[in-house]
């Protein structure tokens, strides 16, 4: 039973999990312990199958246990696991990334999204010789000290830590603003413009459910950075190769100075990357004086998994259209059921990312609006869906993901389950 496995895990792992959101701490029930996964489904140790809309929080865009990726890893396995010396595989993956994301001239591989954003922030600070950065409320960029920061008490105050262990002095270098609020971005630059090293933003925010940028928001960020010689960092750890082959920057036609990547580019193995304009990237060691390094960075297994993934998705014309159609079919279906049952409910789809919001008749546009949603209804719905074999993110603040192996039947099964779960909500 998963609940017994969870008890055992808690004896030896803090909270029984290696990443907090997996603990179901704000959900009903215990986490499901996964034994294996294939295509659109994950399976627990008791043989229960679940249609999976988490997809390891994004990476498995071509489905679980993709045979092409497994085969590539198997081929590489026999050649050794890590060398700590350069490989051709690293150049190949870097070349592919630079070709597919034209804003990237040079790219450095790391092992996680957190490492990517941490390094991008250091690089921006080092290249500009400035300390302050702007981030947006509800955007998550990994557990980087400078980025685990919430807004201060007023609209334009310096940030304060969201976790003990982060020096207040460091937090004060981070300005936290509401997502989609161009006016406050301009005001922040008017106040601190010459001290701002960078803006970091999720160009589509997937860590407060699924929030899209308003029409002028990303343009304003680009303009403010240009006017003040600050670095615009798009954190595309989630959106990179998820919403379009060129990421959110291709989707919206805005060019950042630096981009952080992760998830899909590792094909399911631990990888991150940061890259961008040559003039900025040349500040990184050994070319420049901004230090950054990693024992397992560019690991051959991860490189060949990532390369296989990127080859596969870039050779599949229509992939993103198909994924988006599935996401829309799912979300339209969910909304129709909610409407029939008079449950206030809205959805958002961007490429293969989606979100749904109980208690909101129109989809929220920032963190404050997301916080107004009916979290209790989400929790009950989530639990009910799990009992019916549908695995949704165990948090009301995370985007959902579609993979290519999800079938029309899978979505219809999901919608039938949703009808039962929503009907029960109306009986509470
Ligand atoms: N940036 C974004 C947008 C993310 O969604 C995440 C993780 O979910 C990260 C950074 C951190 O990546 P990792 O968990 O690989 O450290």
């Amino acid at each position: 039973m998963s609940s017994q496995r969870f008890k055992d895990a808690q004896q030896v792992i803090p909270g029984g999990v290696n990443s907090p959101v997996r603990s179901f701490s704000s959900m009903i029930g215990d986490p499901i312990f996964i034994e294996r996964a294939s295509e659109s489904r994950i399976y627990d140790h008791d043989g229960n199958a679940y249609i999976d809309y988490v997809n390891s929080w994004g990476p498995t865009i071509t489905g679980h246990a993709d045979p092409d990726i497994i085969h590539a890893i198997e081929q590489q396995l026999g050649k050794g696991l890590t060398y700590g010396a350069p490989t051709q595989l690293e150049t190949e993956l870097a070349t592919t990334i630079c070709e597919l994301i034209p804003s990237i001239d040079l790219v450095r591989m790391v092992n996680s999204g957190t490492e990517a954003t941490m390094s991008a922030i250091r690089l921006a600070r080092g290249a500009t010789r400035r300390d302050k950065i702007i981030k947006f409320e509800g955007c998550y960029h990994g557990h980087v000290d400078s980025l685990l920061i919430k807004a201060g008490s007023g609209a334009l105050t310096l940030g304060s830590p969201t976790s003990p262990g982060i020096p207040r002095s460091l937090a004060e270098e981070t300005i936290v603003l509401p997502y989609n609020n161009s006016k406050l971005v301009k005001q922040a630059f008017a106040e601190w413009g010459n001290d701002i090293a960078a803006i970091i933003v999720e160009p589509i925010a997937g860590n407060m459910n699924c929030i899209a940028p308003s029409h002028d928001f990303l343009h304003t960020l680009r303009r403010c950075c240009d006017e003040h010689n600050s670095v615009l960092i798009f954190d595309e750890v989630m959106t990179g190769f998820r919403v379009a082959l060129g990421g959110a920057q291709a989707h919206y036609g805005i060019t950042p100075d630096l981009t952080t990547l992760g998830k899909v580019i590792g094909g399911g193995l631990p990888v991150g990357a940061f890259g961008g304009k040559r003039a900025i990237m040349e500040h990184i060691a050994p070319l420049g004086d901004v230090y950054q390094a990693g024992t397992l960075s560019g690991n051959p297994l991860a490189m060949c998994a990532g390369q296989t993934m990127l080859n596969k998705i870039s050779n599949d014309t229509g992939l993103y259209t198909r994924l988006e159609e599935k996401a829309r079919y799912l979300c339209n279906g969910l909304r129709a059921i909610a409407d029939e049952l008079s449950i206030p409910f809205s959805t958002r789809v961007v490429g293969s990312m989606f979100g749904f919001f109980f208690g909101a008749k129109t989809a929220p546009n920032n963190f404050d609006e997301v916080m107004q949603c009916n979290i209790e209804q989400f929790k009950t719905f989530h639990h009910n869906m799990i009992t019916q074999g549908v695995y949704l993110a165990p948090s009301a603040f995370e985007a959902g993901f579609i993979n290519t192996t999800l079938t029309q039947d899978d979505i219809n099964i999901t919608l039938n389950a949703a009808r039962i779960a929503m009907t029960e909500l109306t009986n509470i």
Side-chain angles (χ1 to χ4, degrees):
M1 291 281 289
S2 285
S3 54
Q4 184 56 49
R5 288 175 204 277
F6 188 45
K7 284 197 185 86
D8 295 344
Q10 285 168 296
Q11 300 302 311
V12 286
I13 301 173
V17 290
N18 281 313
S19 199
V21 73
R22 296 179 201 169
S23 71
F24 277 46
S25 57
S26 26
M27 293 291 106
I28 298 167
D30 288 333
I32 310 292
F33 273 54
I34 306 304
E35 187 191 26
R36 66 189 177 85
S38 172
E39 299 191 338
S40 62
R41 282 173 171 70
I42 51 177
Y43 298 84
D44 68 16
H45 289 268
D46 304 314
N48 298 310
Y50 304 86
I51 301 172
D52 182 22
Y53 292 96
V54 178
N55 281 292
S56 190
W57 305 96
T60 56
I61 193 167
T62 55
H64 288 288
D66 181 323
D68 297 325
I69 296 175
I70 304 265
H71 178 70
I73 295 172
E74 278 170 355
Q75 296 289 301
Q76 181 59 36
L77 267 175
K79 301 178 188 167
L81 304 183
T82 174
Y83 321 122
T87 63
Q88 179 66 24
L89 295 166
E90 293 161 89
T91 314
E92 284 168 11
L93 185 55
T95 305
T96 304
I97 290 174
C98 292
E99 278 169 8
L100 294 177
I101 305 186
S103 70
I104 301 184
D105 300 324
L106 294 174
V107 59
R108 171 66 55 86
M109 298 295 170
V110 292
N111 301 291
S112 69
T114 295
E115 247 189 279
T117 56
M118 177 189 76
S119 307
I121 292 290
R122 183 181 307 142
L123 172 58
R125 285 176 163 155
T128 57
R129 299 296 198 254
R130 298 172 180 175
D131 289 342
K132 290 206 188 314
I133 55 171
I134 292 181
K135 83 169 281 277
F136 297 95
E137 213 171 3
C139 286
Y140 174 71
H141 305 286
H143 57 99
V144 179
D145 281 356
S146 286
L147 299 172
L148 280 187
I149 307 295
K150 61 176 186 266
S153 49
L156 264 191
T157 50
L158 300 172
S160 63
T162 55
S163 162
I166 297 172
R168 178 157 294 279
S169 54
L170 188 61
E172 287 175 356
E173 302 298 351
T174 304
I175 301 155
V176 185
L177 301 176
Y179 198 81
N180 274 331
N181 190 326
S182 301
K183 193 165 151 224
L184 283 182
V185 174
K186 287 183 207 156
Q187 279 182 29
F189 271 91
E191 175 111 12
W192 292 291
N194 293 335
D195 299 324
I196 295 173
I199 298 179
I200 185 164
V201 64
E202 282 185 77
I204 297 156
N207 286 287
M208 48 172 159
N209 206 313
C210 185
I211 306 294
S214 61
H215 183 64
D216 70 325
F217 181 58
L218 298 178
H219 284 285
T220 301
L221 305 188
R222 181 65 277 171
R223 225 173 9 253
C224 286
C225 283
D226 286 343
E227 284 166 11
H228 294 86
N229 292 319
S230 304
V231 178
L232 179 59
I233 306 170
F234 273 11
D235 179 357
E236 298 231 39
V237 166
M238 188 183 281
T239 53
F241 301 102
R242 245 289 148 207
V243 294
L245 204 48
Q249 53 195 274
H251 190 80
Y252 293 112
I254 311 248
T255 307
D257 301 308
L258 293 180
T259 300
T260 55
L261 297 166
K263 301 190 191 260
V264 172
I265 63 159
L269 291 188
V271 180
F274 63 101
K277 277 189 183 148
R278 183 175 296 275
I280 300 176
M281 290 301 290
E282 281 178 348
H283 286 270
I284 277 285
L287 289 179
D289 56 3
V290 179
Y291 195 68
Q292 187 280 329
T295 300
L296 290 173
S297 295
N299 172 274
L301 289 181
M303 294 301 99
C304 82
Q307 184 67 53
T308 310
M309 172 67 96
L310 295 193
N311 285 347
K312 188 163 175 159
I313 57 183
S314 53
N315 288 328
D316 185 349
T317 34
L319 173 130
Y320 291 97
T321 313
R322 288 200 310 278
L323 286 171
E324 179 160 346
E325 276 167 9
K326 289 182 194 182
R328 288 203 184 281
Y329 182 72
L330 171 71
C331 285
N332 289 343
L334 290 174
R335 220 178 33 246
I337 297 166
D339 285 352
E340 259 177 60
L341 296 168
S342 303
I343 297 173
F345 185 85
S346 53
T347 61
R348 180 173 282 115
V349 171
V350 192
S352 63
M353 289 168 62
F354 68 91
F356 57 89
F357 309 88
F358 282 99
K361 281 192 173 151
T362 52
N365 288 309
N366 61 36
F367 186 66
D368 277 352
E369 289 176 19
V370 172
M371 292 306 282
Q372 316 277 311
C373 292
N374 191 329
I375 309 299
E376 287 309 310
Q377 277 190 335
F378 174 81
K379 277 163 70 170
T380 309
F381 178 76
H382 177 268
H383 180 63
N384 195 317
M385 293 297 274
I386 285 221
T387 60
Q388 296 187 73
V390 178
Y391 192 76
L392 297 165
S395 161
F397 304 105
E398 302 285 349
F401 300 102
I402 303 289
N403 81 46
T404 56
T405 63
L406 186 80
T407 63
Q408 189 89 0
D409 273 356
D410 291 335
I411 303 178
N412 286 334
I413 293 169
T414 304
L415 292 174
N416 287 338
R419 178 176 294 283
I420 293 170
M422 287 201 202
T423 305
E424 287 191 15
L425 282 181
T426 61
N427 295 331
I428 291 173

mmCIF file of all heavy atoms in Angstrom, residues 296-314:
data_model
loop_
_atom_site.group_PDB
_atom_site.id
_atom_site.type_symbol
_atom_site.label_atom_id
_atom_site.label_comp_id
_atom_site.label_asym_id
_atom_site.label_seq_id
_atom_site.Cartn_x
_atom_site.Cartn_y
_atom_site.Cartn_z
ATOM 1 N N LEU A 296 29.016 16.810 -12.580
ATOM 2 C CA LEU A 296 28.242 15.950 -13.485
ATOM 3 C C LEU A 296 27.577 16.744 -14.616
ATOM 4 O O LEU A 296 26.764 16.197 -15.373
ATOM 5 C CB LEU A 296 27.191 15.176 -12.698
ATOM 6 C CG LEU A 296 27.761 14.084 -11.776
ATOM 7 C CD1 LEU A 296 26.664 13.482 -10.913
ATOM 8 C CD2 LEU A 296 28.449 12.991 -12.560
ATOM 9 N N SER A 297 27.902 18.026 -14.735
ATOM 10 C CA SER A 297 27.275 18.840 -15.787
ATOM 11 C C SER A 297 27.618 18.290 -17.170
ATOM 12 O O SER A 297 28.771 17.966 -17.441
ATOM 13 C CB SER A 297 27.759 20.292 -15.698
ATOM 14 O OG SER A 297 27.330 20.857 -14.493
ATOM 15 N N GLY A 298 26.609 18.197 -18.012
ATOM 16 C CA GLY A 298 26.818 17.663 -19.353
ATOM 17 C C GLY A 298 26.996 16.152 -19.341
ATOM 18 O O GLY A 298 27.558 15.571 -20.272
ATOM 19 N N ASN A 299 26.459 15.519 -18.301
ATOM 20 C CA ASN A 299 26.557 14.059 -18.160
ATOM 21 C C ASN A 299 26.121 13.335 -19.437
ATOM 22 O O ASN A 299 25.096 13.662 -20.024
ATOM 23 C CB ASN A 299 25.667 13.657 -16.978
ATOM 24 C CG ASN A 299 25.524 12.177 -16.839
ATOM 25 O OD1 ASN A 299 24.667 11.573 -17.473
ATOM 26 N ND2 ASN A 299 26.385 11.594 -16.057
ATOM 27 N N PRO A 300 26.914 12.349 -19.902
ATOM 28 C CA PRO A 300 26.627 11.740 -21.217
ATOM 29 C C PRO A 300 25.253 11.078 -21.327
ATOM 30 O O PRO A 300 24.623 11.142 -22.397
ATOM 31 C CB PRO A 300 27.748 10.708 -21.390
ATOM 32 C CG PRO A 300 28.457 10.613 -20.085
ATOM 33 C CD PRO A 300 28.160 11.858 -19.312
ATOM 34 N N LEU A 301 24.773 10.479 -20.238
ATOM 35 C CA LEU A 301 23.444 9.846 -20.322
ATOM 36 C C LEU A 301 22.366 10.906 -20.521
ATOM 37 O O LEU A 301 21.467 10.761 -21.365
ATOM 38 C CB LEU A 301 23.137 9.062 -19.040
ATOM 39 C CG LEU A 301 23.929 7.783 -18.820
ATOM 40 C CD1 LEU A 301 23.488 7.118 -17.534
ATOM 41 C CD2 LEU A 301 23.763 6.832 -19.993
ATOM 42 N N ALA A 302 22.476 11.979 -19.733
ATOM 43 C CA ALA A 302 21.485 13.048 -19.844
ATOM 44 C C ALA A 302 21.572 13.712 -21.218
ATOM 45 O O ALA A 302 20.544 14.058 -21.820
ATOM 46 C CB ALA A 302 21.700 14.066 -18.733
ATOM 47 N N MET A 303 22.785 13.894 -21.714
ATOM 48 C CA MET A 303 22.942 14.543 -23.024
ATOM 49 C C MET A 303 22.291 13.711 -24.126
ATOM 50 O O MET A 303 21.614 14.232 -25.008
ATOM 51 C CB MET A 303 24.429 14.746 -23.363
ATOM 52 C CG MET A 303 25.167 15.726 -22.474
ATOM 53 S SD MET A 303 24.496 17.407 -22.467
ATOM 54 C CE MET A 303 23.523 17.399 -20.969
ATOM 55 N N CYS A 304 22.498 12.390 -24.077
ATOM 56 C CA CYS A 304 21.941 11.609 -25.191
ATOM 57 C C CYS A 304 20.431 11.455 -25.041
ATOM 58 O O CYS A 304 19.710 11.441 -26.053
ATOM 59 C CB CYS A 304 22.682 10.287 -25.406
ATOM 60 S SG CYS A 304 22.197 8.987 -24.350
ATOM 61 N N ALA A 305 19.940 11.441 -23.798
ATOM 62 C CA ALA A 305 18.474 11.420 -23.622
ATOM 63 C C ALA A 305 17.880 12.724 -24.163
ATOM 64 O O ALA A 305 16.884 12.721 -24.898
ATOM 65 C CB ALA A 305 18.124 11.251 -22.146
ATOM 66 N N GLY A 306 18.512 13.848 -23.817
ATOM 67 C CA GLY A 306 18.025 15.156 -24.260
ATOM 68 C C GLY A 306 18.089 15.307 -25.772
ATOM 69 O O GLY A 306 17.157 15.804 -26.408
ATOM 70 N N GLN A 307 19.199 14.856 -26.338
ATOM 71 C CA GLN A 307 19.364 14.966 -27.795
ATOM 72 C C GLN A 307 18.287 14.156 -28.519
ATOM 73 O O GLN A 307 17.686 14.614 -29.507
ATOM 74 C CB GLN A 307 20.761 14.455 -28.191
ATOM 75 C CG GLN A 307 21.075 14.602 -29.652
ATOM 76 C CD GLN A 307 21.199 16.065 -30.068
ATOM 77 O OE1 GLN A 307 21.945 16.820 -29.464
ATOM 78 N NE2 GLN A 307 20.446 16.466 -31.079
ATOM 79 N N THR A 308 18.040 12.950 -28.016
ATOM 80 C CA THR A 308 17.020 12.098 -28.646
ATOM 81 C C THR A 308 15.651 12.769 -28.548
ATOM 82 O O THR A 308 14.870 12.788 -29.512
ATOM 83 C CB THR A 308 16.984 10.715 -27.966
ATOM 84 O OG1 THR A 308 18.305 10.220 -27.916
ATOM 85 C CG2 THR A 308 16.090 9.745 -28.708
ATOM 86 N N MET A 309 15.385 13.333 -27.383
ATOM 87 C CA MET A 309 14.105 14.032 -27.192
ATOM 88 C C MET A 309 13.967 15.199 -28.175
ATOM 89 O O MET A 309 12.955 15.329 -28.872
ATOM 90 C CB MET A 309 14.028 14.541 -25.742
ATOM 91 C CG MET A 309 12.858 15.433 -25.463
ATOM 92 S SD MET A 309 11.308 14.541 -25.562
ATOM 93 C CE MET A 309 11.056 14.157 -23.839
ATOM 94 N N LEU A 310 15.001 16.034 -28.249
ATOM 95 C CA LEU A 310 14.883 17.221 -29.112
ATOM 96 C C LEU A 310 14.821 16.829 -30.594
ATOM 97 O O LEU A 310 14.080 17.439 -31.365
ATOM 98 C CB LEU A 310 16.019 18.212 -28.840
ATOM 99 C CG LEU A 310 16.032 18.844 -27.435
ATOM 100 C CD1 LEU A 310 16.989 20.027 -27.384
ATOM 101 C CD2 LEU A 310 14.657 19.287 -26.965
ATOM 102 N N ASN A 311 15.579 15.787 -30.974
ATOM 103 C CA ASN A 311 15.466 15.304 -32.364
ATOM 104 C C ASN A 311 14.036 14.883 -32.647
ATOM 105 O O ASN A 311 13.452 15.196 -33.689
ATOM 106 C CB ASN A 311 16.367 14.076 -32.589
ATOM 107 C CG ASN A 311 17.835 14.475 -32.691
ATOM 108 O OD1 ASN A 311 18.142 15.646 -32.830
ATOM 109 N ND2 ASN A 311 18.726 13.495 -32.606
ATOM 110 N N LYS A 312 13.508 14.133 -31.704
ATOM 111 C CA LYS A 312 12.179 13.555 -31.909
ATOM 112 C C LYS A 312 11.122 14.648 -32.036
ATOM 113 O O LYS A 312 10.315 14.635 -32.966
ATOM 114 C CB LYS A 312 11.875 12.637 -30.718
ATOM 115 C CG LYS A 312 10.644 11.832 -30.879
ATOM 116 C CD LYS A 312 10.598 10.662 -29.914
ATOM 117 C CE LYS A 312 9.256 9.984 -30.082
ATOM 118 N NZ LYS A 312 9.226 8.629 -29.625
ATOM 119 N N ILE A 313 11.148 15.616 -31.117
ATOM 120 C CA ILE A 313 10.072 16.619 -31.185
ATOM 121 C C ILE A 313 10.290 17.608 -32.325
ATOM 122 O O ILE A 313 9.334 18.110 -32.894
ATOM 123 C CB ILE A 313 9.841 17.349 -29.827
ATOM 124 C CG1 ILE A 313 11.089 18.037 -29.308
ATOM 125 C CG2 ILE A 313 9.320 16.399 -28.788
ATOM 126 C CD1 ILE A 313 10.889 18.693 -27.949
ATOM 127 N N SER A 314 11.560 17.822 -32.713
ATOM 128 C CA SER A 314 11.733 18.786 -33.811
ATOM 129 C C SER A 314 11.427 18.147 -35.166
ATOM 130 O O SER A 314 11.141 18.853 -36.137
ATOM 131 C CB SER A 314 13.124 19.426 -33.795
ATOM 132 O OG SER A 314 14.112 18.447 -33.766
#
